[in-house]
Amino acid sequence: MKLQELVSVLDTELQPWMFKDYCPNGLQVEGRENVLRLATGVTACEALIDQAIAWKADAILVHHGYFWKNEQAQVTGMKKRRLQKLLTHDISLLGYHLPLDGHPTMGNNATLAKLLGIEETGPMDPSESRPIGNIGEVADTVSLEDFGAAIEKALGRKPLLISGGDHTVKTVAWCTGGAQSLIGKAIEAGVDAYISGEISESTVHAAREEGVHYISAGHHATERGGVQAFGAWLAVNHGIEHQFFDIGNPV
Ligand SMILES: [Zn+2]
């Protein structure tokens, strides 16, 4: 398919104009006109670009692209090397950040819920028109430890569990990636546990003192679902060849 058509199909589905984001969403680096092979990955790091080049990708779709607010504007060092490889090989980079978190069926939050067996019941913040965090329930009430073990099995990474008390887990709030600061919204929602990717020193105190379990399940580990779901969807609906490249990251 034509690159412009791919961008327009993704924009239509992800509606980036509905989100206030920290980076440009959509086509970030323009490559060749036709896209047959689409590589996907969580972050447009150099290792992903190298694998995409080796696989002869025409374009790369990621969750964490480039040109973040407050980042240095100069094209030097790491940024130079990444852009040089993309431009030399005429490979496009498409990045979708918050729109990919929030997509109701193929987004990072939706796919994480499926993976962990959580049934969504609503948004974490009811005032958001496009919620990027959700609340829901697990089928059977479990202990925090057993829930942690199930998450480890599903994501292939041991989560860090912060106990908020003796209670079991039935209701859950979750928001993938670096959303530990949204724990206040989970507390307001009154859930048993809150899952995100990363953790800060202050998250531990909020969990303990407000009585909500906190589960730090990995930023990378919780954000692999969205790009894979979109790659698979493009393969089925638009005849594109898709390959996901998992560049390991312990955080
Ligand atoms: Zn992220």
Side-chain angles (χ1 to χ4, degrees):
M1 79 196 289
K2 296 270 182 239
L3 173 64
Q4 284 314 322
E5 194 191 340
L6 172 63
V7 175
S8 133
V9 161
L10 286 170
D11 278 351
T12 303
E13 193 59 35
L14 286 155
Q15 306 189 317
W17 49 87
M18 298 294 291
F19 297 83
K20 240 180 109 183
D21 215 333
Y22 318 98
C23 63
N25 285 295
L27 184 61
Q28 295 190 336
V29 179
E30 186 181 349
R32 61 182 70 103
E33 199 185 335
N34 289 303
V35 179
L36 177 63
R37 293 194 143 193
L38 178 72
T40 59
V42 176
T43 301
C45 59
E46 195 174 359
L48 176 66
I49 296 169
D50 287 341
Q51 295 202 10
I53 291 169
W55 185 63
K56 297 191 166 31
D58 301 304
I60 304 174
L61 170 68
V62 294
H63 180 48
H64 302 137
Y66 302 156
F67 315 119
W68 299 89
K69 256 181 209 168
N70 305 323
E71 90 174 22
Q72 213 181 295
Q74 291 91 324
V75 180
T76 55
M78 176 177 90
K79 197 175 189 177
K80 178 219 163 180
R81 290 188 294 273
R82 290 171 167 186
L83 287 170
Q84 187 166 45
K85 284 190 176 175
L86 287 173
L87 294 169
T88 302
H89 292 88
D90 212 12
I91 296 174
S92 298
L93 178 68
L94 295 101
Y96 290 88
H97 184 235
L98 295 182
L100 197 64
D101 287 322
H103 189 276
T105 56
M106 294 187 281
N108 286 326
N109 284 306
T111 50
L112 181 69
K114 255 179 244 164
L115 211 54
L116 303 185
I118 303 168
E119 185 156 348
E120 189 204 315
T121 54
M124 187 156 71
D125 182 346
S127 74
E128 278 178 343
S129 59
R130 289 294 159 118
I132 53 155
N134 300 96
I135 55 170
E137 289 185 357
V138 289
D140 300 307
T141 303
V142 284
S143 68
L144 175 62
E145 291 67 32
D146 286 351
F147 194 37
I151 292 171
E152 181 175 356
K153 204 172 157 202
L155 298 182
R157 177 191 180 279
K158 197 177 179 63
L160 180 61
L161 308 177
I162 306 299
S163 174
D166 295 333
H167 60 278
T168 51
V169 178
K170 175 70 179 171
T171 56
V172 179
W174 71 100
C175 188
T176 61
Q180 65 268 44
S181 65
L182 300 186
I183 191 169
K185 290 187 181 186
I187 291 160
E188 272 174 43
V191 293
D192 300 321
Y194 176 49
I195 306 167
S196 189
E198 296 189 37
I199 187 161
S200 302
E201 194 270 354
S202 60
T203 322
V204 175
H205 302 293
R208 285 178 183 162
E209 293 175 37
E210 299 285 5
V212 61
H213 299 312
Y214 182 68
I215 300 166
S216 173
H219 190 140
H220 175 84
T222 58
E223 296 198 321
R224 284 178 299 202
V227 288
Q228 289 189 75
F230 270 90
W233 177 79
L234 286 165
V236 169
N237 294 288
H238 296 278
I240 230 162
E241 262 184 74
H242 165 239
Q243 177 76 48
F244 173 68
F245 294 94
D246 194 10
I247 310 298
N249 187 329
V251 173

Coordinates of all heavy atoms in Angstrom, one line a residue, residues 42-43 63-64 68 97 101 108 176-179 198 219-220 222-223, ligand 1:
V42 N 8.3 -1.6 20.3 CA 7.8 -0.7 21.3 C 8.4 0.7 21.2 O 7.8 1.7 21.2 CB 8.1 -1.2 22.7 CG1 7.7 -0.2 23.8 CG2 7.3 -2.6 22.9
T43 N 9.8 0.7 21.0 CA 10.5 2.0 20.9 C 11.4 2.0 19.7 O 12.0 1.0 19.3 CB 11.4 2.1 22.2 OG1 10.6 2.0 23.3 CG2 12.2 3.3 22.2
H63 N 5.4 2.6 19.4 CA 4.7 3.3 20.4 C 5.5 4.6 20.9 O 5.0 5.6 21.1 CB 4.4 2.4 21.6 CG 3.7 3.1 22.7 ND1 2.5 3.8 22.5 CD2 3.9 3.1 24.1 CE1 2.1 4.3 23.7 NE2 2.9 3.8 24.6
H64 N 6.8 4.3 21.1 CA 7.7 5.4 21.5 C 8.5 5.9 20.3 O 9.5 5.2 19.9 CB 8.6 5.0 22.6 CG 7.9 4.5 23.8 ND1 8.3 3.4 24.5 CD2 6.9 5.0 24.5 CE1 7.5 3.2 25.5 NE2 6.6 4.2 25.6
W68 N 10.1 14.3 21.2 CA 9.3 14.6 22.4 C 9.4 16.0 22.9 O 10.5 16.6 22.7 CB 9.8 13.6 23.5 CG 9.6 12.2 23.1 CD1 10.5 11.4 22.4 CD2 8.4 11.4 23.3 NE1 10.0 10.2 22.2 CE2 8.7 10.1 22.7 CE3 7.2 11.6 23.9 CZ2 7.8 9.1 22.7 CZ3 6.3 10.6 23.9 CH2 6.6 9.3 23.3
H97 N 1.6 7.5 20.2 CA 1.8 7.4 21.7 C 0.5 7.2 22.4 O -0.1 6.1 22.4 CB 2.6 8.6 22.2 CG 3.0 8.6 23.6 ND1 2.7 9.6 24.5 CD2 3.6 7.6 24.3 CE1 3.1 9.2 25.7 NE2 3.7 8.0 25.6
D101 N -2.2 3.9 23.4 CA -2.5 3.4 24.7 C -4.0 3.3 24.8 O -4.5 2.3 25.4 CB -2.1 4.4 25.8 CG -0.6 4.5 26.0 OD1 0.0 3.4 25.9 OD2 0.0 5.5 26.2
N108 N -2.8 -0.5 23.9 CA -2.0 -1.1 24.9 C -2.8 -1.5 26.1 O -2.6 -2.6 26.7 CB -0.8 -0.2 25.4 CG 0.3 -0.1 24.3 OD1 0.5 -1.1 23.6 ND2 0.9 1.0 24.2
T176 N -0.9 1.4 31.1 CA 0.4 0.8 30.7 C 1.5 1.9 30.8 O 1.2 3.1 30.8 CB 0.3 0.2 29.3 OG1 0.0 1.3 28.4 CG2 -0.7 -0.9 29.2
G177 N 2.7 1.5 30.8 CA 3.8 2.4 30.7 C 4.2 3.1 32.0 O 4.3 2.5 33.0
G178 N 4.5 4.4 31.9 CA 5.0 5.1 33.0 C 3.9 5.9 33.7 O 4.0 7.1 33.8
A179 N 2.9 5.2 34.1 CA 1.7 5.9 34.6 C 1.5 5.7 36.1 O 0.4 5.8 36.6 CB 0.4 5.4 33.9
E198 N 5.9 1.3 35.5 CA 7.1 1.7 36.3 C 6.6 2.1 37.7 O 5.5 2.0 38.1 CB 7.8 2.9 35.6 CG 8.3 2.6 34.3 CD 9.2 3.7 33.7 OE1 9.9 4.4 34.5 OE2 9.2 4.0 32.5
H219 N 7.4 -1.2 32.1 CA 7.0 -0.3 31.0 C 6.9 -0.9 29.7 O 5.9 -1.0 29.0 CB 7.9 1.0 31.0 CG 7.5 2.1 30.2 ND1 7.6 3.4 30.6 CD2 6.9 2.2 29.0 CE1 7.1 4.2 29.7 NE2 6.7 3.5 28.7
H220 N 8.1 -1.5 29.3 CA 8.2 -2.2 28.0 C 7.2 -3.4 28.0 O 6.5 -3.6 27.0 CB 9.6 -2.7 27.8 CG 9.8 -3.6 26.6 ND1 10.1 -3.0 25.4 CD2 9.8 -4.9 26.5 CE1 10.2 -4.0 24.5 NE2 10.1 -5.2 25.1
T222 N 4.4 -4.0 29.5 CA 3.0 -3.7 29.4 C 2.6 -3.0 28.1 O 1.4 -2.8 27.8 CB 2.5 -2.8 30.5 OG1 3.3 -1.6 30.6 CG2 2.7 -3.6 31.9
E223 N 3.6 -2.6 27.3 CA 3.3 -1.8 26.1 C 3.7 -2.5 24.8 O 3.9 -1.9 23.7 CB 3.9 -0.4 26.2 CG 3.3 0.4 27.3 CD 3.6 1.9 27.3 OE1 4.7 2.3 26.9 OE2 2.6 2.6 27.6
Ligands
ZN1 ZN 5.4 4.2 27.2

